[in-house]
Amino acid sequence: MDDLLGEPWMLSPSVALRPEPFGALAYHFGNRKLTFLKRPELVAVVRGLIEAPDVRTALETAGVPASQHPAYAAALRGLAATDMIRRRTGENGAAA
Amino acid sequence: MTLTTDRPTERPRTGTLVEQFELGLDAPICLTWELTYACNLECAHCLSSSGRRDPRELSTAQCKAVIDELQRMQVFYVNIGGGEPTIRPDFWELLQYAVDHQVGVKFSTNGVRVTPERAAFLASPACNGYVDVQISLDGATAEVNDYVRGPGSFDTALAALQNLQDAGFTDAKISVVCTRQNIGQLDDFKALADRFGATLRLTRLRPSGRGADVWDELHPLPEQQRVLYDWLMAHGEDVLTGDSFFHLAAFGESLPGLNLCGAGRVVCLIDPVGDVYACPFAIHDNFLAGNLLADGGFQQVWQTSALFADLRSPQTGGACAKCEFFDSCRGGCMAAKFFTGLPLDGPDPECVQGYGEQALAADRVVPAPSQDHSKTSPTRNQPVMLQLLTRPPSQPPVSACAESPLSGFTP
Ligand code: SF4
Ligand code: SF4
């Protein structure tokens, strides 16, 4: 299992999400990268990260079945690579 | 039973991104906004037939209202062009206004107003890294560039690049329209970009605007398209293309980027008077979706125009549907077909499988332009190639110091 599932994450502060019929468009004002979130479920997960103690909870809240968690973890890693989402540190960054 | 003429509001949730894009988005991804039809140059291939300002051009206040609307629609950045946008007196004010309203700006310029002071402003924290500058250059040497862009334009562009570099502005773009005359200079363009710490951007010549008059002479030859394709395959990572060469995908492997005609789906143009067209290369009544002043704003036009609804409805591949490369090439560029008088559902005039040449050889009618802001009389900036194309004099030119009041007069 990907460690990320037990960690607290969030949408990067410089990213804006624009809802679209297929999901959303994510734009990073810092590195000016444009990314497409191709499923509404993924958008719900990404938006929910900040409220959740860890990624797994965000996935469960968005109704993603456990069998799909590894696939979502991989998609989130992809988003992390361009700083669309980042790991929360400090205050409630409880996980190891 | 209820009869409904509405198109279905449900759209498929699955499908590739390209299929989703073909059905349209709530706001454009690639929005071009031409601020003025005025220009200091008279490039032979100008896509918008620019030259003279249009008296109906949007005022500063109207432009700011457009920016406010783009911010509300979450259009994260806009490509500003013209004409020459920087010769609008309020250009820098509008640039600052956009940046302050989370609308990033990439503007295209021939460099005429990119002075050391403006370059310093562009590199300053006031622009917050939200501004991209694209200098147009259509030859890696003055000879090749000035042939289409006019005398002195090469030096102007290089001076602008130098000013940007000296001011510490990083990663300017050098934007090149690929032509028959400059395909042999691709490596030189790359070297030039490296020299200025800039990124090279190559785009396709379309027969739009004045481009229609010179397309036959300037568009790359079939064997040059192959050279271009191979070069792009080798340098794909470090070169931008505006995804404009997807018709070359029919050589084999797809090039990186979006392979589709985005007109009215993800691409759009706002012209200087507020007219909204499907694509910057399609300034023609046939592709006019509405006007943002007359039709309730840009969002209204983008989301409800009949033309855009049509462009977003499933299209047929026509003669291309049988082609094995249709999935990646998708029949090429709508504007290139339209302005060469080819059917929109057939092959691109530069189809690399050779069907374009066949189509061009058949009966066709090239559409008349529906606007022209070209200067009415030539200036010293006019490219030489146009002078060669104009009517040859029937007698030797009159010298500037001929004193007879009747010199040059033939009864
Ligand atoms: S008409 Fe041509 S230039 Fe315009 S979006 Fe389509 S392919 Fe691109
Ligand atoms: S026939 Fe049509 S789809 Fe096939 S390569 Fe030519 S333009 Fe592209």
Side-chain angles (χ1 to χ4, degrees):
Chain A
M1 270 288 157
D2 198 321
D3 289 346
L4 168 141
L5 290 172
E7 297 167 0
W9 281 66
M10 63 179 186
L11 190 65
S12 293
S14 25
V15 170
L17 290 180
R18 178 172 107 195
E20 283 294 345
F22 58 83
L25 208 139
Y27 185 69
H28 192 299
F29 281 100
N31 61 28
R32 292 190 241 161
K33 286 226 184 316
L34 191 64
T35 305
F36 305 98
L37 307 183
K38 284 182 253 179
R39 308 187 67 95
E41 295 81 3
L42 182 58
V43 180
V45 172
V46 166
R47 283 194 195 280
L49 287 173
I50 186 82
E51 300 284 323
D54 53 39
V55 171
R56 188 176 288 108
T57 312
L59 288 168
E60 283 161 1
T61 310
V64 176
S67 62
Q68 290 183 25
H69 285 190
Y72 272 79
L76 292 171
R77 288 264 178 223
L79 291 174
T82 49
D83 190 44
M84 291 294 167
I85 58 170
R86 48 169 86 147
R87 198 179 155 180
R88 294 207 302 270
T89 49
E91 23 96 50
N92 45 2
Chain B
M1 154 181 181
T2 10
L3 271 182
T4 167
T5 49
D6 284 347
R7 54 186 60 250
T9 44
E10 265 310 298
R11 56 193 252 167
R13 280 301 186 81
T14 52
T16 63
L17 212 46
V18 164
E19 283 163 351
Q20 285 293 335
F21 284 179
E22 286 185 338
L23 298 168
L25 298 183
D26 289 352
I29 294 177
C30 185
L31 172 65
T32 299
W33 182 9
E34 298 190 339
L35 284 182
T36 179
Y37 279 118
C39 190
N40 53 312
L41 299 183
E42 297 167 66
C43 301
H45 55 317
C46 178
L47 78 167
S48 54
S49 301
S50 286
R52 290 169 296 130
R53 182 178 174 275
D54 191 304
R56 300 165 301 160
E57 287 178 6
L58 301 183
S59 67
T60 307
Q62 287 168 328
C63 287
K64 287 183 177 174
V66 172
I67 295 168
D68 291 340
E69 192 173 19
L70 298 181
Q71 182 183 24
R72 282 197 298 276
M73 290 176 77
Q74 291 192 283
V75 173
F76 302 119
Y77 58 89
V78 57
N79 306 297
I80 288 186
E84 173 51 48
T86 63
I87 64 179
R88 255 187 87 122
D90 58 2
F91 174 76
W92 306 97
E93 178 185 348
L94 293 173
L95 185 75
Q96 185 74 65
Y97 190 84
V99 167
D100 292 344
H101 288 77
Q102 280 83 48
V103 178
V105 171
K106 177 198 275 182
F107 72 89
S108 294
T109 175
N110 55 44
V112 64
R113 293 285 156 87
V114 185
T115 59
E117 296 72 36
R118 294 305 187 190
F121 166 73
L122 291 166
S124 72
C127 292
N128 199 14
Y130 278 19
V131 179
D132 236 340
V133 184
Q134 199 161 280
I135 308 283
S136 303
L137 197 69
D138 296 333
T141 52
E143 187 195 7
V144 172
N145 178 79
D146 294 2
Y147 179 65
V148 285
R149 302 187 59 83
S153 58
F154 182 82
D155 292 343
T156 304
L158 261 66
L161 285 162
Q162 190 65 59
N163 290 342
L164 288 167
Q165 188 178 37
D166 292 348
F169 185 92
T170 50
D171 201 23
K173 311 289 181 282
I174 298 183
S175 190
V176 176
V177 174
C178 293
T179 63
R180 194 170 302 176
Q181 289 72 17
N182 70 24
I183 291 278
Q185 299 187 312
L186 294 174
D187 288 331
D188 304 330
F189 281 121
K190 184 76 180 73
L192 203 59
D194 292 343
R195 184 176 127 204
F196 288 107
T199 300
L200 181 60
R201 177 174 185 266
L202 300 175
T203 60
R204 183 175 176 194
L205 171 76
R206 278 91 168 191
S208 312
R210 285 197 294 271
D213 304 334
V214 291
W215 187 78
D216 286 337
E217 188 202 329
L218 296 189
H219 81 88
L221 297 167
E223 59 273 20
Q224 292 181 313
Q225 298 217 77
R226 181 78 221 195
V227 171
L228 175 61
Y229 174 77
D230 291 339
W231 199 89
L232 289 172
M233 290 307 276
H235 297 82
E237 296 298 305
D238 338 316
V239 172
L240 304 169
T241 62
D243 297 344
S244 65
F245 294 113
F246 60 92
H247 70 296
L248 299 180
F251 275 130
E253 230 177 297
S254 287
L255 296 161
L258 261 190
N259 288 306
L260 89 156
C261 169
R265 298 153 156 176
V266 298
V267 171
C268 173
L269 169 77
I270 302 175
D271 95 337
V273 304
D275 280 344
V276 178
Y277 292 93
C279 160
F281 294 94
I283 303 182
H284 191 278
D285 288 345
N286 285 37
F287 303 108
L288 177 60
N291 180 283
L292 52 79
L293 297 179
D295 299 318
F298 175 66
Q299 180 163 19
Q300 187 72 14
V301 176
W302 174 262
Q303 293 182 352
T304 65
S305 100
L307 172 78
F308 286 175
D310 195 40
L311 289 172
R312 294 165 195 167
S313 64
Q315 314 274 309
T316 59
C320 286
K322 293 190 292 296
C323 171
E324 61 170 305
F325 297 106
F326 184 66
D327 274 349
S328 52
C329 166
R330 304 191 90 78
C333 169
M334 178 183 81
K337 293 187 253 202
F338 178 77
F339 288 111
T340 48
L342 298 185
L344 298 188
D345 64 352
D348 188 285
E350 294 183 292
C351 162
V352 299
Q353 296 295 312
Y355 298 113
E357 281 144 84
Q358 284 172 28
L360 289 172
D363 271 351
R364 61 191 169 105
V365 181
V366 174
S370 54
Q371 68 90 19
D372 188 356
H373 288 81
S374 300
K375 286 173 188 155
T376 41
S377 50
T379 70
R380 67 194 160 87
N381 289 337
Q382 193 181 45
V384 177
M385 68 174 292
L386 281 194
Q387 289 171 3
L388 293 177
L389 290 178
T390 53
R391 213 175 335 105
S394 51
Q395 51 186 310
V398 177
S399 106
C401 53
E403 279 168 11
S404 160
L406 289 182
S407 65
F409 175 73
T410 356

